[in-house]
Amino acid sequence: MWNLFDIAIIGGGPAGLSAALVLGRARRFVALFDEAKPRNRVSLASHGFLTRDGTPPAAMRKMAHDELAAYPSVRIRGSRVEEVAREPDGGFRLTDAAGESWRAARLLLAAGLKELLPEIPGLYDFYGRSLFCCAYCDGWELRDRPLVLIAGNDHTFHLAKTVYNWSKDLLVCTNGYDSLEPEEERALRERGIRVDRREIGGFVGEDGQLSAVRFADGGEAACAGGFVAERLRQAAPFAERLGCAMTPYGGIETDGAGRTSVPGVYAAGDATCIMPAQLIVAAADGTRAAIGINEDMTDEAFA
Ligand SMILES: Cc1cc2nc3c(=O)[nH]c(=O)nc-3n(C[C@H](O)[C@H](O)[C@H](O)COP(=O)(O)OP(=O)(O)OC[C@H]3O[C@@H](n4cnc5c(N)ncnc54)[C@H](O)[C@@H]3O)c2cc1C
């Protein structure tokens, strides 16, 4: 089956959904493809999104779908896009996992990022329940508790400095990612923050509630939650495949209105590595890209 849309959006997180809303209201024909595996799907509640603080991620998505249902030119397809090909007329052909194809004049990449967590047995039993990756998202819920901070990238000092605002009882586990400079470690120890360089072998706790980290040597350190540092990469390969310029942090480079270096291809949300990576920021970025797309389509119509 072949269909022609003004815009195909890959990704139905806050960035893609927000773009679909603005474009639907601008009377554009939009096809939004969403595999529905957003970064925050392990979380029980999303925080910090004004008017939606504490709402489960799936409930926020449902509210967005309900709102979009008012705009008949927006179609949501719950499938994974496998392939994007450039058409001779400059448009795009998208093929999903079921082998169906769609055509669109423009493409918005809003597929987000995928995280790589340190490989520690049992980590996913606690991730999203009492182990998190972002203090701004979940620090309030863990305030004043004894916390473990698990290194997983080169920003251990930054993680410790940040979380210290929420709890002073911190244990930093480098777990093989020893990026702490001597003066950084001194600054941590001066504030009573402990640093342990042993390898973590697992976790202790029940129903997602962490009570201790277990080291590979058999030792344990009590804690009541914590944060784990992640490494991030693009969730979908299309920006690289289409030849979009990327930022030094692995995000899709845009001009601030969603335009990438490839004509007709736009990007929004986490996939652009906008900082900070937050739901409300991704939603705003989706709006910005939608208006960029609509402005370009309007200019083209009057050229
Ligand atoms: C554990 C955790 C908790 C978090 N908690 C909070 C919080 O409380 N508050 C907050 O502000 N931020 C939070 N965040 C950050 C927030 O989740 C992200 O900043 C936000 O989801 C980014 O939105 P996005 O639309 O860019 O991408 P996403 O929300 O990741 O959405 C991208 C969508 O694209 C889909 N997709 C990917 N590839 C394809 C494909 N090929 N075809 C079709 N669909 C595809 C994905 O399945 C996904 O549904 C949290 C992050 C994590 C990891």
Side-chain angles (χ1 to χ4, degrees), residues 56 65 68 70 88 94 115 133-134 138-139 165 188 201 206 219 225 283 290 295:
H65 284 207
L68 284 169
L94 290 84
E115 56 213 334
C133 63
C134 160
D138 298 289
N165 184 50
L188 297 181
E206 265 179 30
E295 294 284 311

Side-chain angles (χ1 to χ4, degrees), residues 74-176:
V74 177
R75 298 285 157 82
I76 300 180
R77 181 139 184 112
S79 62
R80 177 177 178 79
V81 175
E82 295 289 353
E83 225 181 284
V84 176
R86 196 102 209 200
E87 295 280 89
D89 64 359
F92 301 89
R93 179 168 48 80
L94 290 84
T95 306
D96 74 4
E100 284 191 52
S101 289
W102 285 262
R103 286 191 299 140
R106 287 162 203 268
L107 180 68
L108 173 59
L109 302 173
L113 295 171
K114 196 177 166 67
E115 56 213 334
L116 305 173
L117 298 176
E119 286 181 20
I120 306 172
L123 191 150
Y124 284 95
D125 295 341
F126 300 93
Y127 190 54
R129 307 281 160 136
S130 55
L131 262 185
F132 301 96
C133 63
C134 160
Y136 292 97
C137 304
D138 298 289
W140 173 259
E141 284 65 35
L142 297 185
R143 66 192 182 283
D144 297 328
R145 292 195 199 174
L147 302 180
V148 62
L149 307 181
I150 301 171
N153 56 32
D154 292 337
H155 308 295
T156 307
F157 184 56
H158 182 260
L159 176 69
K161 275 193 304 185
T162 305
V163 177
Y164 189 69
N165 184 50
W166 280 273
S167 174
K168 307 288 180 253
D169 189 348
L170 300 180
L171 168 67
V172 174
C173 292
T174 57
N175 194 42

Side-chain angles (χ1 to χ4, degrees), residues 9-17 33-43 45-49 61 77 79-82 110-113 115 127-128 131-134 136-138 230 235-238 268-271 274 276-283:
I9 301 175
I10 303 180
L17 289 166
F33 298 86
D34 187 32
E35 193 195 8
K37 288 186 182 165
R39 272 189 67 206
N40 64 342
R41 66 186 178 280
V42 296
S43 268
S46 298
H47 299 111
F49 196 118
R61 180 173 294 245
R77 181 139 184 112
S79 62
R80 177 177 178 79
V81 175
E82 295 289 353
L113 295 171
E115 56 213 334
Y127 190 54
L131 262 185
F132 301 96
C133 63
C134 160
Y136 292 97
C137 304
D138 298 289
E230 83 281 50
F238 308 117
D270 273 11
I274 34 157
Q278 294 279 283
L279 295 160
I280 204 160
V281 177

Side-chain angles (χ1 to χ4, degrees), residues 180-187:
L180 283 177
E181 298 293 336
E183 63 274 16
E184 293 175 340
E185 184 165 345
R186 201 174 316 118

